[in-house]
Amino acid sequence: GTLLVTLIDVKTNRAVWNGYASGVTVPEGPMGEIVLRRSVRSILDRYRVFTEEFANGTLPQSSGADR
């Protein structure tokens, strides 16, 4: 089947990103959970996370501890 992940903006309650994996077959039992976790991980690996500051072109200054 197809596994769909939709991320919702809590401020607007609107979908901001959709990702999917097709051809997912989930077996019964503990192996099914492993397959689902790996499938969701592969979907989320394609999602780029940006902050509002990044989207607005104003990046916060990093401290020396970040380096």
Side-chain angles (χ1 to χ4, degrees):
T2 300
L3 177 63
L4 176 66
V5 174
T6 302
L7 299 183
I8 308 289
D9 182 332
V10 296
K11 292 179 184 176
T12 63
N13 202 33
R14 297 182 69 162
V16 294
W17 185 82
N18 287 309
Y20 68 93
S22 56
V24 178
T25 303
V26 181
E28 298 270 339
M31 192 61 186
E33 183 175 343
I34 293 169
V35 169
L36 280 174
R37 287 178 182 266
R38 287 181 181 168
S39 297
V40 170
R41 171 53 48 203
S42 73
I43 293 169
L44 293 177
D45 283 345
R46 291 179 272 165
Y47 178 67
R48 299 282 194 182
V49 177
F50 298 107
T51 63
E52 282 186 37
E53 291 83 10
F54 184 87
N56 294 332
T58 57
L59 293 175
Q61 297 296 320
S62 63
S63 67
D66 293 340
R67 296 180 187 172

